[in-house]
Amino acid sequence: MPKLFSIGLKFWFYILLRYNWNTVSDFRNRRPMDQKWEILLSEFRKLGGVADNVYQKEGDFGRGIFPINSNHISKIYIPFKIMIKTIDIYLEGNNIRIKKNKEYSKAVINFFNYYQDNFSWGGGGKEQVEFFEKQLNLFTPKLKQLINNNILVNIKHRHRGTWDEIIFREFLRARAFRFNNISMICPILELVNHEVIALSFIVEKDGIRTPNYPPIRGELTHSYNNDSSINRFFYQGFFCKETIVFSFPFSINIPELGIDFLCKGTVLNNDVITIDRSLNKIKIKGLPIADFNQPDMPKIYFNQIFSQIGNFKNSKEVFLKILELNISKRISMLEEAQLIDSEVSKMFAQIIDYEIKLISTSD
């Protein structure tokens, strides 16, 4: 018995050295669901996909993708032929399916159905979206109006149609990738969670792949895109401390220049400055007002706008007025959100509080 015990210790010591404790824990906690995962990966690979050293489990960001062996590289690649256009997807009863007479092989259709039933829509995705939308609907009329006026999200319009249609629509919107300017659902790749401090996924000519990370111990993540925390909340349904904050819509009169300066409140995805001049009105699409990584960027961006308008010595005062206006509007929303006792309203309040603190560092 002592000899057998010694052999057992040597075996586990070898495992710990080779794979690290996290990998051992994952191995010991394998469940029947892993059989479905192996089937999924097998079919994915037959169709040309790459899924190396990956499996799904719960992590800090919810369900995510982790390496099986943290000493090896993990990667996922989905070719174009396995991507499904969102316009080709419909709800058949309680299942997500590909519309009839679309140009997808039977193998792709069967793979997509299996994936949706076990890992995406039918693997908790529907319930997650439904929970979020139900709690969003509990927001007070005043808060909904503030959101509509400032964040440009009309919850009433968002919840048009039958409840099943709403959940289906928001589910697709939260998970879609853009490939060749087409909205696509990318099985398996969409299971990789977003993280602010992460590399972006790589779009290639014939497909999309995860970033070229070296072997990692933790969760495999990538950056979905550049966005604000508020936008991420409404369109992906979670709170992430994004590094940039954009202004809400505003209109400020500048007597010295004889103009009204207007901002539409759009979230910008590039640094191109577009100015629309109309009589005594100057309009811009959006305005960054705080940036954690580049604190001076919003001021520089703002000064660039006014350098194109004309000589103006009081741009600093106008910028500070815009910051104060944005903080004031956010405080109104924060106070209203704190009146609601729900997980989603608390998450929304956290986001607003986070943005207020970032804006406060820009003055």
Side-chain angles (χ1 to χ4, degrees):
M1 182 63 71
K3 186 177 181 180
L4 289 175
F5 181 71
S6 176
I7 293 173
L9 283 177
K10 288 179 180 179
F11 171 76
W12 282 108
F13 182 70
Y14 167 79
I15 290 292
L16 286 171
L17 287 177
R18 184 70 179 83
Y19 297 102
N20 76 54
W21 177 250
N22 289 334
T23 304
V24 174
S25 298
D26 294 335
F27 175 77
R28 292 175 66 186
N29 292 325
R30 301 297 285 238
R31 289 176 168 81
M33 176 57 75
D34 291 318
Q35 296 176 4
K36 292 185 177 181
W37 178 252
E38 292 304 325
I39 292 171
L40 180 75
L41 295 194
S42 176
E43 296 304 311
F44 183 65
R45 290 163 181 152
K46 287 178 186 177
L47 292 167
V50 175
D52 293 345
N53 190 39
V54 292
Y55 79 109
Q56 187 183 40
K57 72 167 188 174
E58 289 291 324
D60 292 340
F61 306 116
R63 289 182 307 158
I65 299 299
F66 290 77
I68 297 171
N69 185 337
S70 62
N71 295 312
H72 294 172
I73 291 173
S74 300
K75 60 182 177 181
I76 297 172
Y77 169 75
I78 179 168
F80 171 71
K81 71 175 184 178
I82 315 180
M83 300 180 196
I84 312 298
K85 297 177 183 177
T86 56
I87 60 172
D88 291 343
I89 301 172
Y90 78 113
L91 198 58
E92 182 183 71
N94 194 37
N95 301 311
I96 282 185
R97 294 293 182 258
I98 297 174
K99 294 175 182 177
K100 313 300 181 185
N101 303 318
K102 296 297 177 180
E103 295 182 358
Y104 300 96
S105 69
K106 187 170 181 58
V108 169
I109 293 172
N110 289 340
F111 164 76
F112 181 76
N113 292 348
Y114 185 82
Y115 171 74
Q116 288 297 337
D117 291 350
N118 294 283
F119 294 94
S120 193
W121 174 261
K126 176 191 175 184
E127 288 77 10
Q128 183 180 12
V129 174
E130 188 165 24
F131 174 81
F132 182 83
E133 295 303 324
K134 279 183 176 179
Q135 296 222 334
L136 203 62
N137 204 35
L138 295 176
F139 283 11
T140 64
K142 181 180 178 180
L143 181 56
K144 288 180 181 179
Q145 190 61 51
L146 287 169
I147 289 168
N148 182 45
N149 294 344
N150 296 295
I151 307 175
L152 309 180
V153 173
N154 189 321
I155 295 177
K156 183 178 179 181
H157 179 73
R158 178 185 180 117
H159 288 168
R160 70 192 186 281
T162 68
W163 188 245
D164 286 344
E165 289 171 347
I166 294 165
I167 304 308
F168 170 67
R169 184 169 61 239
E170 294 305 319
F171 174 85
L172 291 184
R173 179 162 63 174
R175 284 159 176 75
F177 286 73
R178 300 296 295 183
F179 185 79
N180 291 338
N181 208 30
I182 300 172
S183 178
M184 300 280 199
I185 293 298
C186 299
I188 299 183
L189 183 67
E190 62 142 313
L191 300 178
V192 179
N193 284 319
H194 166 78
E195 191 174 12
V196 176
I197 306 175
L199 299 176
S200 299
F201 53 81
I202 302 169
V203 179
E204 299 180 342
K205 181 181 178 181
D206 299 316
I208 306 176
R209 69 173 64 249
T210 48
N212 295 320
Y213 288 121
I216 57 175
R217 289 182 178 274
E219 182 175 354
L220 186 67
T221 61
H222 56 211
S223 175
Y224 291 171
N225 52 21
N226 293 320
D227 214 337
S228 67
S229 293
I230 287 180
N231 245 35
R232 189 77 66 200
F233 170 80
F234 280 108
Y235 295 105
Q236 260 95 39
F238 58 84
F239 172 29
C240 189
K241 291 184 177 180
E242 302 295 334
T243 59
I244 194 165
V245 180
F246 291 93
S247 176
F248 288 162
F250 65 79
S251 176
I252 294 177
N253 180 258
I254 304 178
E256 297 94 322
L257 297 178
I259 63 170
D260 289 325
F261 181 45
L262 291 83
C263 175
K264 296 180 181 179
T266 302
V267 171
L268 304 174
N269 53 24
N270 58 58
D271 57 3
V272 177
I273 298 175
T274 303
I275 299 175
D276 180 19
R277 293 172 178 261
S278 176
L279 298 176
N280 63 336
K281 295 183 185 299
I282 299 293
K283 299 178 183 178
I284 59 172
K285 290 183 178 179
L287 179 69
I289 55 174
D291 190 312
F292 181 81
N293 291 332
Q294 305 176 70
D296 291 333
M297 185 276 288
K299 297 175 188 175
I300 295 171
Y301 189 96
F302 185 78
N303 289 333
Q304 282 293 321
I305 292 173
F306 274 89
S307 70
Q308 297 182 37
I309 295 174
N311 293 325
F312 183 54
K313 297 179 180 179
N314 298 321
S315 61
K316 181 178 179 179
E317 286 75 7
V318 174
F319 185 67
L320 289 175
K321 186 174 181 180
I322 291 169
L323 297 185
E324 291 169 1
L325 184 63
N326 271 275
I327 289 175
S328 175
K329 289 184 174 185
R330 281 170 171 80
I331 288 174
S332 296
M333 279 192 282
L334 178 60
E335 291 174 346
E336 195 66 25
Q338 289 173 334
L339 299 176
I340 308 165
D341 185 19
S342 74
E343 286 186 35
V344 171
S345 65
K346 289 175 183 176
M347 188 193 307
F348 180 67
Q350 281 183 300
I351 293 168
I352 296 297
D353 183 61
Y354 170 73
E355 289 206 342
I356 290 172
K357 289 174 180 175
L358 274 188
I359 297 169
S360 299
T361 65
S362 294
D363 54 18

